[in-house]
Amino acid sequence: MIFSDYNETPSEYNPFCNDTENTSFNECYSHIIPAFFFRNQACPKKPSRFEKKKLRYFYNTTGIILSAKLIIEVSACLLFYILMFLSAMSFTKSTSLYYSVLSDTTVKYAFRTIAVIISTFSVLFAGCRYSSLSLAGLTRKTDGVKTGDVIIFFITGLFITSVQNIINISAANITGNSAFYGVKLEKDICQIVIVCLYTCLIVPLTEGLVFRGLALKNLSRASQRFGIVACSLLCALSTCSPLSIPAAFMMSMLLSVLTVKYNTVIPSVLIHITINICNMIITVYSALLWDSDVFITKMWTAVTFFVGCIAAVIFIIKHPLPKIYSCQRKRSFPLFATSVFIVILIAAYISASLIRCLAFMYL
């Protein structure tokens, strides 16, 4: 069976003739089926066994990449803490120094920053190679970015961060635990620099390259709409924090739409950096001058929420997700959900979230 509703000839970069997608973002479909196929007929409504195998290959490659990133991060952090413990025992013969350093926010963020950098660039080049992608292709320059789009995406991003603040404030009020407000900055320049570096540069850059770069390309092989949603789901689960999942999912959806629109991660990374800088300025200002970030965070949340609501509505109207045809749907979720390494990855993220919740409750 072949498509009967095609108004144009399928091509290697638009095999399903979906004119709502950005064709330039699509990778060549000859990675899935041979190029000569398109000179003879359209893609069948149901994928062949060979096509399923090839699509699962790219979905599983995504699962392996993200699983490796998680394992390397956890292993690197564990190695740092073991080395720190051995050093403390060597110099002081006591664990008191180790536990005092262990509770230091500066040390935690320093270790996390190094671990994230190591894990990202460890999997990035290997991921590009086995995904038939190039790093230059993910980070290509674009000259067609519209100022109006940038403003809408930016304000919508602030709205999403306000949603996260509302969730944190609500959790803090319900439980009476101020730790839900987020990281507590002190009047320590070293701590502030490390936290700002991690939040404002490392996170946007690494998430942009791995999730909106490698993962989004691989998961969009059959459908850009599915790729955006699936990539955002994995990115949200990677936070390993139930309270962060809703806002992380929305933020990744926003940045993924931007990446697909311009076929490069650069605009989404820059907007993510700018959003995080704006929120970090509020946090740092309140920590240094107010000695408490609760009041000013609530004020900033209220302003960005009400202003951002308008931008979010405009964003939804002006930038709808690409459509997904039935033939694309059959090549997306069913194959994604039955890809072994994707299932393992999701199970790992959920397990890490549960462990983190238990540790937070009882330690």
Side-chain angles (χ1 to χ4, degrees):
M1 296 179 63
I2 60 176
F3 292 114
S4 60
D5 55 350
Y6 273 178
N7 295 320
E8 56 180 294
T9 304
S11 68
E12 294 175 46
Y13 287 94
N14 193 14
F16 307 104
C17 294
N18 189 339
D19 58 3
T20 67
E21 294 185 342
N22 177 15
T23 306
S24 64
F25 179 80
N26 290 335
E27 289 299 303
C28 184
Y29 207 68
S30 61
H31 295 156
I32 309 298
I33 54 178
F36 68 83
F37 186 86
F38 297 98
R39 294 195 290 267
N40 301 316
Q41 59 182 324
C43 287
K45 289 185 178 179
K46 293 183 179 180
S48 65
R49 182 178 299 178
F50 177 79
E51 194 177 356
K52 288 180 180 179
K53 181 180 179 181
K54 293 296 290 184
L55 284 169
R56 279 202 184 96
Y57 168 82
F58 288 105
Y59 296 155
N60 275 319
T61 298
T62 302
I64 293 171
I65 291 168
L66 297 181
S67 297
K69 184 177 185 298
L70 177 64
I71 292 170
I72 293 171
E73 280 182 25
V74 173
S75 300
C77 286
L78 182 61
L79 177 61
F80 291 151
Y81 282 117
I82 291 175
L83 293 176
M84 187 176 68
F85 175 78
L86 294 176
S87 299
M89 292 298 294
S90 299
F91 288 106
T92 65
K93 307 298 182 181
S94 172
T95 59
S96 58
L97 176 62
Y98 172 72
Y99 287 114
S100 65
V101 175
L102 183 65
S103 61
D104 192 309
T105 303
T106 307
V107 174
K108 288 181 180 179
Y109 272 85
F111 284 173
R112 190 181 302 178
T113 298
I114 297 171
V116 169
I117 293 173
I118 292 173
S119 65
T120 296
F121 289 98
S122 296
V123 304
L124 188 59
F125 297 103
C128 284
R129 177 182 177 185
Y130 290 103
S131 300
S132 302
L133 299 170
S134 68
L135 184 58
L138 301 178
T139 58
R140 60 169 55 90
K141 294 181 180 180
T142 179
D143 300 323
V145 180
K146 299 178 180 178
T147 304
D149 286 346
V150 171
I151 294 173
I152 293 299
F153 277 92
F154 172 68
I155 299 177
T156 304
L158 290 180
F159 165 75
I160 295 171
T161 60
S162 73
V163 172
Q164 180 63 66
N165 288 338
I166 290 172
I167 293 174
N168 291 343
I169 292 170
S170 300
N173 291 336
I174 292 172
T175 62
N177 189 343
S178 60
F180 283 108
Y181 283 117
V183 60
K184 179 66 175 177
L185 292 179
E186 300 173 357
K187 293 182 179 180
D188 183 342
I189 299 300
C190 184
Q191 182 199 64
I192 291 174
V193 170
I194 291 294
V195 173
C196 289
L197 176 66
Y198 176 80
T199 305
C200 299
L201 182 61
I202 301 302
V203 170
L205 182 60
T206 56
E207 283 190 1
L209 290 172
V210 175
F211 286 99
R212 263 78 66 183
L214 282 172
L216 182 57
K217 281 282 189 179
N218 280 339
L219 298 176
S220 300
R221 296 281 176 169
S223 165
Q224 290 179 7
R225 183 190 186 100
F226 172 77
I228 290 170
V229 175
C231 170
S232 300
L233 175 63
L234 295 179
C235 184
L237 291 175
S238 72
T239 62
C240 299
S241 172
L243 291 180
S244 300
I245 287 176
F249 178 78
M250 290 188 289
M251 182 65 76
S252 187
M253 287 280 288
L254 175 79
L255 299 175
S256 296
V257 168
L258 182 62
T259 301
V260 170
K261 181 178 178 64
Y262 293 108
N263 190 24
T264 174
V265 301
I266 291 177
S268 63
V269 168
L270 293 178
I271 286 182
H272 197 181
I273 288 173
T274 308
I275 290 169
N276 286 4
I277 286 175
C278 289
N279 287 284
M280 187 54 64
I281 287 173
I282 298 299
T283 303
V284 172
Y285 174 79
S286 58
L288 292 178
L289 301 181
W290 289 62
D291 293 320
S292 173
D293 59 355
V294 177
F295 172 75
I296 197 167
T297 297
K298 289 180 178 179
M299 294 297 296
W300 172 250
T301 299
V303 172
T304 52
F305 180 83
F306 289 110
V307 174
C309 277
I310 301 173
V313 172
I314 296 174
F315 166 77
I316 292 172
I317 295 173
K318 288 188 63 178
H319 304 282
L321 291 177
K323 294 180 181 178
I324 180 170
Y325 297 157
S326 60
C327 52
Q328 293 176 290
R329 192 174 290 111
K330 292 174 182 177
R331 289 165 167 81
S332 301
F333 180 74
L335 303 182
F336 176 83
T338 53
S339 297
V340 175
F341 287 99
I342 289 293
V343 175
I344 293 173
L345 174 67
I346 293 175
Y349 282 153
I350 293 174
S351 300
S353 298
L354 293 175
I355 293 172
R356 183 174 179 179
C357 286
L358 293 173
F360 187 80
M361 290 172 59
Y362 296 106
L363 296 181

